[in-house]
Amino acid sequence: MSLQPDFSEQRSLLEEAVIEAGHILERYPKFHCECNSIERYWGFVKRETRQSCSYNYADLLRKVPETLVSVSVTIIRKFAHKSWRYMDAYDKGLEGRAAEWAVNKFKFHHRIPENIERAIGEGEEEG
């Protein structure tokens, strides 16, 4: 039944509600948090909160919102760019360590090169 076009093309109730409200719903692959810049943002906030928190509940209630607001737009953009580089690497067929290598190697580029397989071969020869 899941292969039937009318079944597979049916949107979920959540997706219909989001689209009806005029928003965009982005779905990321399961178990690939590196594609979601919000995960990087949240991880950064947790790390910063840990460094300045006294580990009591009242302090956490105060520190977490403060830290969320304190993250600069520049840092948030860096999180988004890194996520985009991962998605670009996966789109080019890279997986695992090869994708990680490409994302870190080409961190100052807008895109990972189309001839990435050759670049990976050259990188392995150097290392």
Side-chain angles (χ1 to χ4, degrees):
M1 186 164 145
S2 66
L3 300 176
Q4 297 299 318
D6 60 334
F7 184 81
S8 63
E9 293 172 10
Q10 176 65 43
R11 293 182 176 151
S12 70
L13 186 60
L14 173 65
E15 190 171 5
E16 287 181 359
V18 169
I19 291 171
E20 187 177 310
H23 301 286
I24 297 171
L25 179 71
E26 286 189 38
R27 293 184 178 267
Y28 294 102
K30 288 183 180 181
F31 311 113
H32 284 281
C33 58
E34 68 274 10
C35 295
N36 189 343
S37 58
I38 294 169
E39 294 290 340
R40 295 182 184 285
Y41 175 50
W42 181 237
F44 181 84
V45 168
K46 289 191 301 185
R47 186 173 52 252
E48 293 294 312
T49 301
R50 272 190 229 111
Q51 292 175 355
S52 64
C53 183
S54 65
Y55 287 91
N56 68 48
Y57 188 68
D59 197 27
L60 274 175
L61 288 176
R62 187 177 53 80
K63 288 284 188 181
V64 170
E66 285 176 6
T67 309
L68 282 166
V69 173
S70 73
V71 180
S72 72
V73 173
T74 304
I75 291 174
I76 293 171
R77 285 184 181 145
K78 287 180 182 182
F79 297 150
H81 287 244
K82 189 163 191 172
S83 294
W84 291 336
R85 287 195 312 274
Y86 267 103
M87 288 186 274
D88 190 30
Y90 293 146
D91 191 45
K92 290 183 172 56
L94 301 179
E95 296 177 2
R97 289 186 179 174
E100 189 174 336
W101 176 84
V103 166
N104 291 323
K105 171 79 174 170
F106 300 103
K107 71 172 93 181
F108 298 108
H109 297 65
H110 291 288
R111 301 184 61 90
I112 292 175
E114 294 297 327
N115 59 349
I116 189 64
E117 294 84 11
R118 190 182 67 171
I120 289 173
E122 291 171 2
E124 290 173 352
E125 289 173 9
E126 291 173 9

